[in-house]
Amino acid sequence: MTTACLLGQAPGPTVYTGAQILPFLRLYDLKGLGDLIHKEDSVGNKEVAISLDEDAWNQVPFKKIDVADDYAALKTADDTYYPLCPFLPPTLEKLAEARSYQEVLQTLVPPSRSENEAYLPIMDVPVSVRTLEESHVSFDLHLRAAYLHQDRIVWIECAMTYKESQVARSQSTPFYESVIQIHVSPKYK
C-alpha cells in the first residue's frame, strides 16, 4: 500500500477513487495509470488502495489495484486477484461449453493475443497446472478474471473439480464438474 505525507498531516494510505482510475482502465492505459499512482520505472509493479464505494459501487468487492508494466489486477479484501483483461468478457454459454482447465483458460484469456502471457502468473496458472499434473487426489482449481464492458466491471470465477485419479492428468484432462460465477457491477459514469 502507498502512503503520502503532506506537510502538517499525518501519513496515511492514499486511496484512489473510481473516478480517478476508471478513465485509464477504459483505455487500458497502464502507463497513465502508473503515472497516476506514482509507479516508478524501476518498480515492477505497485499496489495501491482503491475506493469504489464512494462511486456508489457497494457491491464491488475490489479494495486494491496492482499495476505493472504489462498488466493490472483488481484485488479483493481477502487478497484474491482478478487480472483485468483488455478485451470482451466471455459469455456464460461459452464458459459452460469448456470441459477442461485449458478450455476455461482459453475462454477467459484468448491465446491469440501475444500479451496475454502477463496474466498467467497473476492467475496462478503455473502453480495450478503443476498441481493438476502432479496430484492424484480430489481437488478444486480456480481461475479468475475481470473485464470492463459497457461501462461495467465484469468479474468471473471458474472453479473446476477433479476427482481422485491414478492416471496422469494434463491441462486438457476433463474436469468432473465446474461452478461458474459471473458478477456485474452497476454502470459507472
Side-chain angles (χ1 to χ4, degrees), residues 113-163:
R113 306 201 32 155
S114 60
E115 69 271 16
N116 292 353
E117 292 295 315
Y119 304 121
L120 303 184
I122 199 109
M123 294 175 86
D124 285 333
V125 169
V127 173
S128 54
V129 167
R130 193 166 41 255
T131 302
L132 177 63
E133 292 174 347
E134 295 174 0
S135 179
H136 295 287
V137 297
S138 297
F139 64 96
D140 292 334
L141 289 178
H142 296 264
L143 285 171
R144 297 172 184 89
Y147 310 83
L148 288 179
H149 181 60
Q150 297 180 347
D151 290 333
R152 299 174 188 271
I153 293 179
V154 177
W155 63 103
I156 299 173
E157 180 176 358
C158 297
M160 294 148 280
T161 300
Y162 286 85
K163 290 285 192 176

Side-chain angles (χ1 to χ4, degrees), residues 10 23 48 54 89 96 104 109 118 139 158 163 171 174 176 184:
V48 295
E54 63 186 54
V104 171
V109 182
F139 64 96
C158 297
K163 290 285 192 176
Q171 293 183 59
Y176 174 69
V184 181

